[in-house]
C-alpha cells in the first residue's frame, strides 16, 4: 500500500509541474513563509536551536510513522488487544489523507530546512503541506484521551507531547506555520473518522483471528 502511495506521488509530481496559484492564496502563502522564517529566527535568537536540536529530533522520531507502525503491529502479535487494531486503523487513515493531500498541494519545505530526517521516502517527504507529524500527533492524542482514554493522570503528558511535536516542526524548519495548523485540523478530522470506524472488542478479535490463527501446517 505504501509503495502504491509513493508511485502515486511520482505520477503527480511528473504531471503538470507548474500550476497557476490564485493571487489571494499566493499572498497568503508568501506571508506564511515570511512569518515562519521570522518565528524561527526569533526563537533562535532567544534560545539557540543548535543547543537543543537533538531534543527536537527526539520529538520528531517519537511521532515518526514507521516506529508507530512497528509498535502497533508488534502489539497486535503479542497482546491481541483491540486497541492496536484501532491504532492501526488511525495510522492508515493518517497515511492516506496526508499522502493524497501532499500529492495535490505539492508545497515545498522551507528553504532553510536541513534535510537530516531518518527513514524517509524522498518522493513523499519533500512536500510540506500538511505536516504529517502534526496530523499524527493530534490524532493519537485524541485517541488516547477521548476514543480510548488512558488514565487521566496521563492526559496532560500526551497533550503536551502532541503540542511539542507540532511546534517543533516549525522550529526545526521542517514546515511552515500554516502546514502545522492545517495538520492539527486534519488530525482532529482524522480522529472523528477513526471514531466512526472504531472496532469493538468483538470486531477487533474477529479481525485478529483472521490473521492470527494457528498455522494449519504446524500440526503436520
Amino acid at each position: 500500500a505504501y509503495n502504491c502511495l509513493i508511485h502515486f506521488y511520482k505520477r503527480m509530481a511528473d504531471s503538470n509541474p507548474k500550476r497557476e496559484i490564485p493571487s489571494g492564496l499566493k499572498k497568503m502563502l508568501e506571508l506564511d513563509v515570511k512569518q515562519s522564517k521570522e518565528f524561527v529566527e526569533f526563537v533562535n535568537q532567544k534560545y539557540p536551536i543548535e543547543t537543543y536540536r537533538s531534543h527536537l529530533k527526539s520529538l520528531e522520531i517519537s511521532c515518526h510513522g514507521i516506529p508507530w507502525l512497528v509498535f502497533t503491529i508488534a502489539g497486535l502479535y503479542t497482546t491481541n488487544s483491540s486497541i492496536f487494531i484501532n491504532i492501526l486503523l488511525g495510522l492508515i487513515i493518517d497515511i492516506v489523507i496526508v499522502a493524497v493531500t501532499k500529492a495535490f498541494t505539492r508545497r515545498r519545505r522551507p528553504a532553510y530546512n536541513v534535510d537530516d530526517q531518518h527513514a524517509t521516502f524522498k518522493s513523499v517527504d519533500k512536500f510540506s503541506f500538511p505536516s504529517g507529524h502534526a496530523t499524527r500527533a493530534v490524532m493519537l492524542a485524541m485517541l488516547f484521551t477521548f476514543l480510548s482514554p488512558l488514565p487521566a493522570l496521563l492526559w496532560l503528558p500526551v497533550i503536551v507531547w502532541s503540542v511539542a511535536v507540532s511546534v517543533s516542526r516549525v522550529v526545526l524548519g521542517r514546515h511552515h506555520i500554516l502546514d502545522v495548523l492545517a495538520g492539527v485540523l486534519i488530525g482532529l478530522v482524522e480522529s472523528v473518522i477513526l471514531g466512526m470506524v472504531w472496532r469493538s472488542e468483538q470486531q477487533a478479535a474477529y479481525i485478529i483471528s483472521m490473521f492470527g490463527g494457528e498455522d494449519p501446517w504446524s500440526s503436520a
Side-chain angles (χ1 to χ4, degrees):
Y2 208 86
N3 288 334
C4 291
L5 287 174
I6 294 173
H7 181 65
F8 174 69
Y9 260 106
K10 289 180 178 179
R11 290 190 63 183
M12 288 295 298
D14 292 339
S15 62
N16 192 21
K18 290 290 184 180
R19 293 181 294 181
E20 284 295 326
I21 302 176
S23 59
L25 177 58
K26 186 174 182 180
K27 289 179 181 179
M28 184 176 69
L29 294 176
E30 289 173 349
L31 179 62
D32 182 39
V33 170
K34 180 175 179 292
Q35 295 291 339
S36 300
K37 185 177 181 181
E38 289 178 354
F39 174 74
V40 173
E41 290 174 347
F42 172 79
V43 172
N44 194 43
Q45 288 175 358
K46 293 288 184 179
Y47 313 99
I49 295 172
E50 282 302 318
T51 61
Y52 54 91
R53 184 177 176 82
S54 60
H55 299 296
L56 297 176
K57 291 277 291 176
S58 296
L59 279 171
E60 180 174 69
I61 294 171
S62 75
C63 198
H64 196 292
I66 292 177
W68 273 98
L69 284 170
V70 171
F71 164 75
T72 303
I73 293 171
L76 278 173
Y77 275 95
T78 56
T79 69
N80 288 338
S81 173
S82 64
I83 184 60
F84 291 106
I85 282 289
N86 288 299
I87 293 175
L88 184 59
L89 282 173
L91 293 174
I92 292 171
I93 291 169
D94 177 67
I95 289 171
V96 172
I97 290 178
V98 171
V100 172
T101 305
K102 283 189 174 184
F104 277 102
T105 57
R106 289 182 288 164
R107 188 184 193 190
R108 296 289 178 174
R109 293 188 183 273
Y112 46 86
N113 173 49
V114 178
D115 188 12
D116 59 351
Q117 296 187 78
H118 299 291
T120 60
F121 297 90
K122 298 302 180 185
S123 59
V124 175
D125 292 301
K126 66 182 179 181
F127 298 125
S128 182
F129 184 94
S131 166
H133 276 71
T135 63
R136 194 175 305 114
V138 171
M139 183 272 292
L140 289 169
M142 294 293 290
L143 189 155
F144 290 126
T145 56
F146 289 98
L147 298 176
S148 181
L150 292 171
L153 191 64
L154 297 177
W155 289 13
L156 182 59
V158 169
I159 293 170
V160 169
W161 169 78
S162 175
V163 173
V165 167
S166 299
V167 174
S168 72
R169 306 311 290 161
V170 180
V171 178
L172 269 173
R174 304 292 194 221
H175 294 278
H176 304 97
I177 293 173
L178 189 59
D179 304 333
V180 173
L181 292 178
V184 170
L185 290 175
I186 291 173
L188 292 172
V189 172
E190 288 176 352
S191 67
V192 172
I193 296 173
L194 179 57
M196 295 170 62
V197 300
W198 190 267
R199 302 291 90 183
S200 65
E201 287 283 350
Q202 293 79 8
Q203 291 169 326
Y206 175 74
I207 295 172
I208 292 170
S209 69
M210 294 172 62
F211 299 96
E214 184 180 353
D215 183 358
W217 298 101
S218 62
S219 57

